Amino acid sequence: KSLTKVFQGTIDEKLLEIPDEAFDVIVMNDVIEHLTEPWDDIQKLKSKLKKGGVFVSSIPNVRYAKNLFHVLFKRDWKYSDDRILDITHYRFFTKKSIRRLWEENGYTVQRMKGINRTKSFAYFPFAVLLNI
């Protein structure tokens, strides 16, 4: 199959252009944290999925060991140009709040997997201690 149409713009700008049950898959990788009202947005998009359709997302976990270490032990929440504390993020999530975001909006979470485990041994005991 091939890509037949691309929508560029905000959800509110483009939602009415998209027919109901238009998509088998909606992908929002590294998008949800940039939305001011992600709960409303994923609810609005639900009708655009075909029966049996899925949402795929990648959402940074603010409880990432390195990030939490800096917050708790260095007492610093320093925004950056990228990563978890990206200055353009409106929302921050933990593994529990990511699951809750989907489930409270009527979705079933089929799989959750962290993708960027810390490779630094220095953070490992911290991660184990806090069950990250």
Side-chain angles (χ1 to χ4, degrees), residues 12-94:
D12 289 328
E13 290 171 350
K14 300 298 177 180
L15 197 63
L16 294 177
E17 296 177 33
I18 304 169
D20 286 348
E21 299 185 9
F23 301 114
D24 296 308
V25 179
I26 296 175
V27 179
M28 293 182 86
N29 286 343
D30 297 310
V31 172
I32 303 256
E33 65 275 12
H34 297 272
L35 302 173
T36 57
E37 296 294 335
W39 303 270
D40 294 343
D41 293 329
I42 66 169
Q43 187 61 42
K44 290 175 190 175
L45 288 168
K46 192 171 186 178
S47 66
K48 306 307 176 183
L49 280 172
K50 291 181 181 176
K51 185 173 176 71
V54 296
F55 229 116
V56 177
S57 66
S58 173
I59 304 169
N61 182 350
V62 76
R63 284 190 62 201
Y64 179 63
K66 279 185 180 180
N67 185 61
L68 215 48
F69 179 85
H70 286 279
V71 170
L72 294 177
F73 294 105
K74 295 194 175 190
R75 298 181 185 148
D76 194 14
W77 183 282
K78 185 178 179 194
Y79 286 95
S80 64
D81 292 330
D82 59 4
R83 305 184 196 270
I84 294 171
L85 295 182
D86 185 321
I87 201 160
T88 65
H89 291 179
Y90 288 111
R91 302 290 180 179
F92 296 93
F93 296 91
T94 64

